[in-house]
């Protein structure tokens, strides 16, 4: 036997890691449950002094004695079971009731006499290391403890059966003798010197040593021994209580726990669900297992669906997908499923029980015989037998009542089976990883919701029709959520025209995105009214101001400013004319077919919603066919380290590349941004203009009298014959008749008739009347009021738009080939 700690080093110090037994309160009971001796540690725990309890029933401190039929009945039960241990209530002297772990150990004396040692430990952690306590508490509660009682002359009076396993001394050889009589040598003399100190001053001493067990010549075992002074009713020392525990397993557990605690700080460093699952597997190999697999409920990776509740899965188990793999062998040959693949879980297996109950499963010696449960999972059974898996643990990954998945721990090379302490460590590690995975799931859910919101707020595809070819890029500054306040649009209008929109709401994130969605909807609504750009922005400014008023919490609160900038343009491919207006937005860039870049000197106007500055002002210009119009937000040209002018020069140099596709130009423009994270959302909309061939447009000027109706019908029929649209002649003549008739009745002067053949056939009639046409329901005897209902039934859609000096009323019809496509889609 080798002593490693001298008398001078025998203290209560935490550095010995032996406080598990030094903090234990000790009391000696006789066979009837009466307290025979008391200790200072018991006094510290429950407040009673030796004079208060010695000679009285243990029920004074342990109410469970009183709850038994009689104290002797309780003692007889303990005698039959050779002791008792568990959690119970302990009464403090001041009346409080403490939760404690209690162990009753039977001690044998000479002539068949017996005593009981009651050891009590406070179940509430006294130190901040609750994790360590959670592991060592259950471990020590099951650890075999050797107990001996010695009198004032250091002779052995009582001993339990476990003590013989620690030092090889039988009960008969030990009882009635001192240590130096049965184990002569320096070590025995040192131990007796410690006991004399305990008897003299009543202090608790800790002694640690390493030795080989008498029954084994394997590795050394490490023991911790506590010496406590037993006091009588008068407070004088009666003897010494010696408690010894084999702390080899406890030391190994602490070392592994310390390593896990240090390594698990890496958990939570990622918000990627798959990476978090892989980190859990990597931490557990080889510290806990030779092979680990982490399977997650498959919706977690995508942040979709509600959480799976433990105990409420019903008949359908959650589908699992492998998210983490680790092994002591290269390539993880033990796993039949690779990361990302779905994992089969049979209806009857420990995996099923873990998923349903949310409780861990430990199989120290894995049953691999034919017909065992592993045969329900053929891939797993083949791997188990091929690689010699002999012990497994299955631990649920859960956060409160939510089930995230399971972790499988396997031993193949390590011959030692998993024990309950291994399961405690695995549960501790999985518990930490579960919180990390829960955070990653929450992020994935929010990120998915944000991306879904953004996809629905922004156009999924840009439809420029025959007017423009379009491409776009959007880079949000809020990289965590992927949403922002920028928006863009290409909105088809009547007569083959398109509206081009770029806007920027002040701020970032979900609030800005929600405001942006409301403004984009408002722009679409105003665009259907076909207002000129300056009027549309004026109406949009009113909308933004109303939004600020609605967002005020109370009526008397000053409305918050919901600021935004916007540029709105309308391009007509028939005339190649583009009309645009700006509300505080950066000027558009125009790139002619030769690559010459010009920033249009557009009146900037005031931002939307601020109520200051001049109203927007429209500018009209003619664009050559093949010109590129670049609309963008200030995030593309302005950074923390560069001003707007430098950004505009950089953007202009990128766009001045004739022959490049719009997609290439978008990529180059966004890649040319500085490497630092964007401080503002970045949006770029590029359109290449097209012109409508004169052969696709026919227009006539008609007199403002009734003769114009017949002429309009004839001219329209002749033009449709020239275009080969014979099938549309009847409907078109009726539409032309009704629109021209309305123009004569409600306007003055000449009438313009225009037919435009593009993706649809558009019939336009312009007049000088200021009134906007509205359908009205004609009564049975009315001779008028049915014209616009007739137009509605014959066309795919119709409407009107204001023009200088009047209005245009238009109606669209599907061309024969597009009509078939629309019918198929319907």
């Amino acid at each position: 036997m080798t002593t490693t700690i001298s008398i001078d080093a025998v203290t209560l110090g935490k550095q010995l890691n032996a406080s598990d037994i030094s903090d234990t309160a000790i009391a000696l009971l006789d066979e009837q449950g009466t307290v025979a001796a008391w200790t200072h540690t018991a006094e510290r725990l429950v407040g009673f002094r030796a004079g208060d309890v010695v000679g009285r029933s243990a029920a004074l401190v342990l109410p469970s004695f009183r709850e038994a039929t009689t104290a002797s009945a309780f003692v007889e039960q303990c005698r039959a079971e050779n002791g008792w241990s568990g959690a119970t209530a302990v009464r403090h002297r001041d009346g409080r009731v403490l939760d404690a772990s209690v162990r009753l150990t039977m001690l044998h004396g000479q002539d068949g006499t017996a005593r009981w040692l009651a050891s009590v430990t406070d179940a509430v952690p006294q130190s901040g290391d609750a994790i360590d306590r959670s592991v060592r508490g259950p471990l020590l509660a099951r650890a075999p403890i050797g107990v001996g009682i010695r009198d004032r002359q250091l002779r052995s009076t009582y001993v339990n059966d476990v003590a013989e396993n620690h030092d090889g001394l039988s009960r008969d050889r030990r009882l009635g003798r001192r240590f130096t009589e049965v184990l002569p040598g320096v070590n025995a003399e040192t131990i007796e010197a410690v006991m004399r100190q305990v008897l003299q001053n009543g202090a608790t001493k800790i002694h640690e040593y390493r030795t080989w067990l008498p029954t084994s010549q394997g590795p050394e075992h490490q023991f911790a021994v506590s010496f406590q002074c037993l006091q009588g009713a008068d407070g004088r020392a009666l003897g010494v209580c010696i408690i010894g525990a084999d702390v080899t397993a406890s030391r190994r557990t602490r070392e592994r726990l310390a390593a896990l605690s240090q390594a698990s700080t890496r958990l939570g460093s990622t918000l990627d669900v798959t990476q978090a699952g892989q980190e859990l597997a990597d931490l557990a190999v080889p510290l806990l297992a030779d092979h680990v697999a982490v399977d997650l409920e498959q919706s977690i990776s995508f942040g979709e669906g509600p959480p799976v509740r433990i105990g409420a899965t019903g008949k359908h188990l959650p589908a699992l997908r492998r998210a983490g793999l680790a092994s002591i062998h290269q390539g993880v040959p033990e796993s039949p499923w690779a990361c990302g693949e779905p994992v089969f879980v049979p209806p009857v297996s420990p995996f099923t029980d873990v998923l349903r109950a949310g409780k861990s499963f430990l199989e120290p010696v894995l049953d691999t015989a034919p017909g065992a449960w592993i045969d329900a999972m053929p891939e797993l059974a083949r791997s188990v037998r091929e690689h010699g898996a002999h012990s497994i643990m299955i631990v649920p990954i859960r956060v409160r009542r939510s089930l995230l998945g399971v972790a499988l721990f396997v031993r193949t090379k390590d011959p030692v089976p998993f024990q309950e302490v291994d399961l405690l460590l695995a549960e501790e590690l999985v518990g930490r990883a579960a919180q990390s995975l829960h955070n990653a799931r929450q992020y994935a859910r929010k990120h998915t919701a944000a991306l879904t919101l953004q996809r629905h707020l922004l156009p999924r595809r840009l439809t420029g029709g025959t007017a423009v070819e379009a491409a776009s890029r959007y880079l949000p500054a809020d990289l965590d959520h992927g949403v922002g306040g920028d928006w863009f649009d290409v909105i088809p209008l009547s007569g083959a025209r398109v509206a081009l929109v770029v806007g920027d709401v002040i701020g970032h994130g979900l609030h800005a995105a929600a405001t942006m969605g409301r403004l984009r909807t408002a722009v679409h609504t105003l665009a259907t009214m076909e207002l000129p750009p300056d009027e549309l922005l004026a109406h949009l400014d009113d909308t933004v101001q109303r939004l600020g008023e609605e967002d005020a919490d109370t009526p008397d609160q000053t409305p918050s400013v919901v600021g935004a900038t916007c540029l709105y343009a309308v391009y007509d491919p028939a005339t190649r004319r583009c009309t645009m207006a700006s509300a505080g937005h950066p000027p558009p860039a125009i790139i002619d077919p030769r690559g010459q870049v010009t920033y249009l000197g557009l009146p900037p106007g005031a931002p939307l919603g601020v109520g200051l500055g001049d109203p927007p002002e429209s500018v009209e210009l003619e664009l050559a066919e093949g010109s590129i119009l670049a609309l963008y937000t200030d995030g593309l040209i302005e950074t923390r380290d560069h001003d707007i002018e430098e950004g505009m020069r950089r953007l202009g140099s990128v766009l001045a590349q004739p022959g490049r596709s719009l997609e290439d130009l978008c990529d180059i423009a966004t890649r040319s941004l500085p490497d630092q994270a964007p401080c503002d959302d970045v949006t770029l909309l590029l359109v290449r203009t097209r012109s409508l061939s004169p052969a696709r447009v026919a227009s006539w000027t008609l007199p403002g009298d009734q003769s114009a109706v017949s002429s309009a019908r004839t001219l329209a029929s002749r033009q449709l014959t020239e275009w080969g649209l014979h099938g549309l002649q009847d409907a078109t003549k009726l539409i032309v008749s009704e629109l021209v008739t309305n123009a004569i009745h409600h306007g003055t002067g000449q009438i313009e008739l225009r037919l435009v053949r593009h993706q649809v056939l558009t019939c336009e009639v312009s007049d000088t009347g200021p009134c906007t046409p509205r359908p009205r329901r004609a009564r049975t005897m009315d001779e008028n009021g049915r014209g616009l209902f007739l137009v509605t039934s014959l066309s795919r859609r119709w409407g009107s738009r204001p023009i200088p000096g009047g209005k245009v009323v238009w109606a669209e019809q599907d061309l024969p080939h597009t009509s078939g496509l629309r019918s198929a889609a319907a």
Side-chain angles (χ1 to χ4, degrees):
M1 181 181 296
T2 303
T3 302
T4 60
I5 305 295
S6 67
I7 298 178
D8 294 336
V10 177
T11 66
L12 274 173
K14 286 282 187 177
Q15 68 271 18
L16 298 180
N17 287 324
S19 60
D20 306 316
I21 55 178
S22 69
D23 291 340
T24 302
I26 299 298
L28 188 65
L29 313 180
D30 64 15
E31 292 186 275
Q32 285 72 40
T34 302
V35 178
W38 198 244
T39 61
H40 284 299
T41 53
E43 181 180 341
R44 285 200 303 267
L45 179 64
V46 298
F48 289 101
R49 296 179 179 178
D52 300 329
V53 293
V54 174
R56 303 177 65 180
S57 171
L60 177 65
V61 178
L62 297 173
S64 54
F65 269 60
R66 184 179 293 111
E67 292 171 3
T69 305
T70 63
S72 58
F74 183 78
V75 171
E76 287 302 320
Q77 178 187 351
C78 294
R79 182 187 295 273
E81 299 177 0
N82 199 29
W84 180 87
S85 65
T88 187
V90 174
R91 178 175 295 126
H92 194 276
R93 184 179 184 181
D94 61 11
R96 288 180 294 139
V97 176
L98 308 177
D99 293 327
S101 298
V102 178
R103 170 183 279 194
L104 296 179
T105 304
M106 186 175 183
L107 307 179
H108 304 279
Q110 293 177 317
D111 303 327
T113 60
R115 289 290 184 270
W116 294 94
L117 187 82
S119 54
V120 183
T121 304
D122 189 356
V124 179
Q126 299 299 316
S127 66
D129 194 1
I131 296 172
D132 181 64
R133 300 276 294 204
S134 68
V135 172
R136 77 182 182 199
L139 173 67
L140 294 173
R142 295 187 297 271
I145 295 178
V147 180
I149 304 296
R150 292 185 177 268
D151 59 18
R152 290 184 58 83
Q153 287 73 40
L154 306 184
R155 294 187 298 262
S156 176
T157 56
Y158 293 95
V159 67
N160 74 338
D161 295 332
V162 177
E164 180 177 352
N165 298 330
H166 288 180
D167 55 21
L169 293 176
S170 65
R171 185 194 310 170
D172 293 338
R173 186 181 175 190
R174 186 191 307 265
L175 288 173
R177 297 179 176 89
R178 293 169 48 181
F179 259 123
T180 53
E181 294 175 355
V182 293
L183 288 174
V186 176
N187 293 328
E189 294 176 357
T190 302
I191 292 175
E192 287 197 352
V194 172
M195 289 191 286
R196 290 190 186 97
Q197 286 189 358
V198 171
L199 286 172
Q200 182 177 357
N201 55 35
T204 300
K205 298 292 185 181
I206 301 297
H207 187 67
E208 289 195 350
Y209 63 91
R210 291 186 178 90
T211 187
W212 286 272
L213 291 178
T215 58
S216 172
Q217 290 300 318
E220 282 186 322
H221 281 244
Q222 188 167 4
F223 291 86
V225 183
S226 168
F227 301 87
Q228 295 196 40
C229 180
L230 294 173
Q231 299 173 309
D234 56 1
R236 297 178 60 186
L238 298 178
V240 179
C241 175
I242 307 166
I243 299 177
D246 185 346
V247 296
T248 307
S250 176
R251 294 283 180 168
R252 187 183 305 117
T253 299
R254 282 200 185 93
E255 291 169 0
R256 293 161 68 190
L257 179 62
L260 282 176
S261 297
Q262 183 177 6
S264 62
T265 55
R266 301 205 310 265
L267 292 173
S269 61
T270 178
L271 289 176
D272 180 84
V273 173
T274 303
Q275 185 177 344
Q278 184 60 48
E279 284 182 352
L280 169 58
D282 291 338
L283 287 175
V285 174
L287 201 57
L288 275 178
D290 299 329
H291 165 59
V292 172
V294 178
D295 300 327
L296 300 179
E297 197 270 317
Q298 65 177 4
S299 70
I300 291 178
S301 300
F302 310 102
E304 298 174 350
V308 176
R309 298 296 181 184
I310 295 173
T313 57
K315 298 180 180 179
H316 304 287
L317 293 174
L320 300 179
R321 190 173 296 273
R322 186 132 293 175
L325 280 174
S327 171
I328 59 174
H329 300 107
Q330 188 70 25
V332 198
E334 302 94 332
S335 177
W337 297 285
C339 284
E341 293 183 347
V343 177
F344 168 71
V345 179
V348 179
S349 74
F351 288 92
T352 305
D353 298 336
V354 170
L355 289 173
R356 284 180 174 159
K359 296 181 179 179
S360 300
F361 171 80
L362 168 65
E363 191 167 356
V365 180
L366 180 61
D367 185 4
T368 59
W373 67 264
I374 60 172
D375 289 333
M377 305 174 72
E379 300 91 344
L380 180 62
R382 184 170 54 255
S383 174
V384 164
R385 295 186 174 104
E386 180 179 347
H387 297 94
H390 63 86
S391 186
I392 69 166
M393 298 184 294
I394 306 173
V395 180
I397 306 173
R398 54 181 291 180
V399 175
R400 294 180 292 275
R401 294 293 299 172
S402 298
L403 180 67
L404 306 181
V406 294
L408 171 66
F409 299 82
V410 183
R411 277 186 178 165
T412 55
K413 185 178 179 181
D414 187 347
V416 180
F418 286 122
Q419 303 297 327
E420 290 191 22
V421 64
D422 299 306
L423 184 61
L424 289 171
L425 290 172
E427 289 176 336
E428 173 62 31
L429 178 62
V430 170
R432 297 189 184 193
Q435 189 59 52
S436 174
L437 285 164
H438 177 67
N439 295 338
R441 173 189 172 88
Q442 293 297 99
Y443 172 79
R445 287 174 61 87
K446 292 179 180 179
H447 190 63
T448 299
L451 291 180
T452 302
L453 172 65
Q454 194 73 58
R455 281 198 302 268
H456 286 81
L457 292 179
L458 294 176
R460 298 189 179 183
R461 61 187 182 90
L462 300 176
T463 305
T466 57
V468 296
E469 172 195 359
S472 64
R473 292 294 183 273
Y474 170 73
L475 303 176
D478 187 351
L479 299 178
D480 290 338
H481 296 96
V483 295
D486 287 8
W487 86 94
F488 58 90
D489 249 322
V490 178
I491 306 173
L493 301 177
S494 63
R497 299 170 310 125
V498 293
L500 311 173
V501 191
V502 167
D504 181 2
V505 175
I506 294 175
H508 316 293
L510 292 173
H511 178 74
T515 303
M516 173 270 286
R518 300 165 79 179
L519 295 187
R520 180 172 179 251
T521 301
V523 170
H524 267 265
T525 302
L526 295 171
T528 59
M529 301 171 61
E530 308 220 38
L531 299 174
D534 54 347
E535 293 186 28
L536 183 141
L537 292 179
H539 284 285
L540 189 62
D541 180 63
D542 294 337
T543 300
V544 174
Q545 294 190 47
R546 283 199 302 273
L547 291 179
E549 295 172 356
E550 293 174 1
D551 289 342
D553 294 332
T554 58
D556 58 345
Q557 180 181 346
T558 302
S560 59
V561 177
V562 184
T565 65
C566 183
L567 190 146
Y568 185 85
V570 176
Y571 174 70
D572 187 346
T575 62
R576 292 188 286 107
R577 306 290 295 176
C578 183
T579 307
M580 63 183 70
S582 171
H585 204 77
I590 300 173
I591 303 92
D592 66 21
R594 296 172 297 176
Q596 183 69 33
V597 179
T598 304
Y599 284 97
L600 184 62
L602 192 65
L608 302 171
V610 299
L612 301 173
D614 298 327
E617 182 180 343
S618 291
V619 171
E620 186 177 63
L621 67 156
E622 184 175 331
L623 300 176
E625 183 176 5
S627 298
I628 295 177
L629 191 61
L631 310 181
Y632 53 89
T633 57
D634 54 8
L636 184 64
I637 58 173
E638 185 179 15
T639 64
R640 294 184 180 94
D641 302 327
H642 302 86
D643 57 20
I644 294 179
E645 287 73 15
E646 183 176 347
M648 293 174 69
R649 286 193 297 270
R650 185 190 70 247
L651 177 61
S653 63
V654 168
L655 298 178
Q657 301 184 54
R660 288 274 193 175
S661 69
L662 296 184
E663 295 291 340
D664 286 345
L665 291 176
C666 283
D667 288 337
I668 297 171
T670 51
R671 282 201 303 264
S672 67
L673 289 169
D675 293 334
Q676 62 186 12
C679 59
D680 199 359
D681 303 327
V682 174
T683 298
L684 174 63
L685 173 63
L686 296 181
V687 296
R688 179 175 280 120
T689 61
R690 298 166 177 162
S691 63
L692 204 59
S693 169
R696 291 177 170 266
V697 181
S699 59
W700 303 274
T701 300
L702 303 174
D705 54 36
Q706 198 62 37
S707 63
V709 177
S710 176
S711 300
R713 291 166 58 92
T714 302
L715 293 170
S717 177
R718 187 182 304 156
Q719 186 62 51
L720 293 184
T721 300
E722 182 178 336
W723 283 341
L725 301 177
H726 304 284
L728 298 180
Q729 284 185 342
D730 292 340
T732 304
K733 287 191 290 184
L734 286 172
I735 291 173
V736 167
S737 296
E738 294 301 330
L739 295 185
V740 172
T741 300
N742 284 343
I744 294 172
H745 288 168
H746 300 288
T748 58
Q750 294 180 327
I751 299 171
E752 295 288 336
L753 171 64
R754 187 171 82 148
L755 298 180
V756 183
R757 180 188 177 186
H758 50 114
Q759 292 180 316
V760 294
L761 176 66
T762 302
C763 173
E764 298 181 347
V765 174
S766 57
D767 61 63
T768 58
C771 300
T772 300
R774 289 181 297 176
R776 62 184 180 88
R777 187 172 300 278
R779 293 172 294 183
T780 304
M781 302 303 295
D782 289 344
E783 296 182 2
N784 298 314
R786 299 180 177 85
L788 291 180
F789 281 105
L790 181 61
V791 172
T792 301
S793 62
L794 294 175
S795 61
R796 64 193 298 269
R797 64 176 189 146
W798 72 273
S800 67
R801 64 176 183 268
I803 58 174
K807 66 178 182 296
V808 174
V809 183
W810 53 268
E812 292 179 352
Q813 299 175 79
D814 286 319
L815 298 178
H817 67 280
T818 60
S819 177
L821 292 175
R822 287 173 58 84
S823 299

